[in-house]
Amino acid sequence: MRTAVVVGAGLAGLATAGALSRCGWHVVLLERAERVAAPPTALVLWPNGRRALESLDPDGGWPAIIAPLPDGGVRRPDGQWLVTPRPGGTGSAPGAVHLQDLYDALVAGLGDLVEIRTGFAVTTIRTGPARRPVVGDGRTEIEADLVVAADGIDSAIRRTLAPESLAAGSGFAAWQAVVPGYRVPSRPPGEVAGGETLGAGYRFVSIPLGDRAAGRGGVYWVATAAGAPRPESPATQLDLLRRWFAGWPSPVGDLLAATHPEELVPQEVRELRPLPRAYAFPSGPGGVVLLGDAAQAMPHHLGQGACLAFEDAATLRSLAGQAAPGATLTAALEAYSRLRQPRATTVVRQTRRMSAVVQARGRLALRARDAALSHLRPRILSAPLSQWSPPD
Ligand SMILES: Cc1cc2nc3c(=O)[nH]c(=O)nc-3n(C[C@H](O)[C@H](O)[C@H](O)COP(=O)(O)OP(=O)(O)OC[C@H]3O[C@@H](n4cnc5c(N)ncnc54)[C@H](O)[C@@H]3O)c2cc1C
């Protein structure tokens, strides 16, 4: 039987492990944490990410957990519309999903052939023309035809195989939270659910989740500020956010007021610079691939990181799912690299344009940003990226 080791049980690793097992591979899924657990946040799935998920597992029950995302428009902190909401959508409507629901669905899709080992932190990878790739944690070594590095931005495997690519701060900090349905502030009549407000170096996005998201519904929000992450306690950081975003149009203040400190997920926004030159590394009788944030971590401004991880998984499944170990599998992995590296480069380039929009400060820069915004907002920048379909 063909064997694969998938390193990392985040979104990328769970999706890939399930897809390979459904193609008949025996998969060992290694996770350094003591259990597989979703962060208490949510994310946007653009049509490309959703298409990839659906192709990975057509029976995944996706419509039940992905809520359509209304176009809430973009405002300035003084309330003036920069981009008015379009309730009909733009034709490439994204969806929103609570990560708890997404993880549950992906774990349910793992099937009987996936062996999950938690508390296993991979520290070494060995490859060579005459041997199958081997990963180890300093005590145990595991060998397989295919090793999938889905171990996130600090990937130990990428650091060995593509040392040119380094994780670096992108000059932003982000705070996320989900306000559960029973605590969501009521909306004034006529106010569009969700939307985005852009200030000078600050951004606040709110996204309604379905009524049943994570069993209790709610609203997800993500605040971004140019600058370093804060060292203070979550309670102090929440106070700081309430001060920074004071006076911003509804529902910003109400959502921050309704958030509890223990719900706040603060983090530094990081990215890979440069991207790895290759996403596949041949070995006998197959090789190693990079996937998800291990391959292309980028700032979240366009909300494409997880979407790309699902594209990676769907591409790998299409190219290598049926490949026999040996030269055929190695060729399939090289084809994966040739498709995925340029795709990630394109998305990173668009994300950098959006970074400049979020980072704009100073009167002239803001005026230029406001004038350009109808071409530069996430829905417009993501529209061409959303065209992606899995290879046959
Ligand atoms: C604020 C914010 C908002 C975002 N919004 C969106 C959005 O709206 N839409 C979207 O598509 N994307 C979004 N993203 C990006 C998205 O969250 C990531 O791209 C995605 O979660 C990456 O998944 P991953 O599985 O590749 O990596 P990770 O989630 O980092 O998972 C890696 C896993 O590997 C494990 N691991 C790490 N090292 C080892 C090791 N050595 N051995 C074993 N296991 C290991 C980790 O414990 C973890 O479980 C956002 C990101 C941020 C920060």
Side-chain angles (χ1 to χ4, degrees), residues 317-361:
R317 197 274 320 265
S318 292
L319 297 172
Q322 305 302 335
T328 312
L329 179 56
T330 301
L333 304 184
E334 282 169 345
Y336 166 87
S337 180
R338 281 196 301 277
L339 280 181
R340 297 311 300 162
Q341 209 278 353
R343 167 73 173 157
T345 303
T346 303
V347 178
V348 166
R349 198 173 300 134
Q350 290 289 61
T351 299
R352 294 226 166 101
R353 294 179 70 194
M354 193 61 203
S355 290
V357 169
V358 180
Q359 218 155 13
R361 292 192 218 195

Side-chain angles (χ1 to χ4, degrees), residues 125-191:
I125 172 91
R126 281 188 286 125
T127 55
R131 63 179 311 168
R132 302 196 302 166
V134 184
V135 293
D137 68 348
R139 286 168 301 173
T140 310
E141 293 203 321
I142 309 178
E143 175 179 328
D145 301 318
L146 167 64
V147 169
V148 177
D151 47 348
I153 185 168
D154 296 309
S155 169
I157 296 178
R158 189 200 61 246
R159 284 205 305 268
T160 303
L161 298 179
E164 75 278 5
S165 183
L166 298 172
S170 35
F172 293 95
W175 295 261
Q176 304 174 81
V178 174
V179 178
Y182 60 88
R183 247 195 284 127
V184 168
S186 53
R187 220 170 343 124
E191 186 178 292

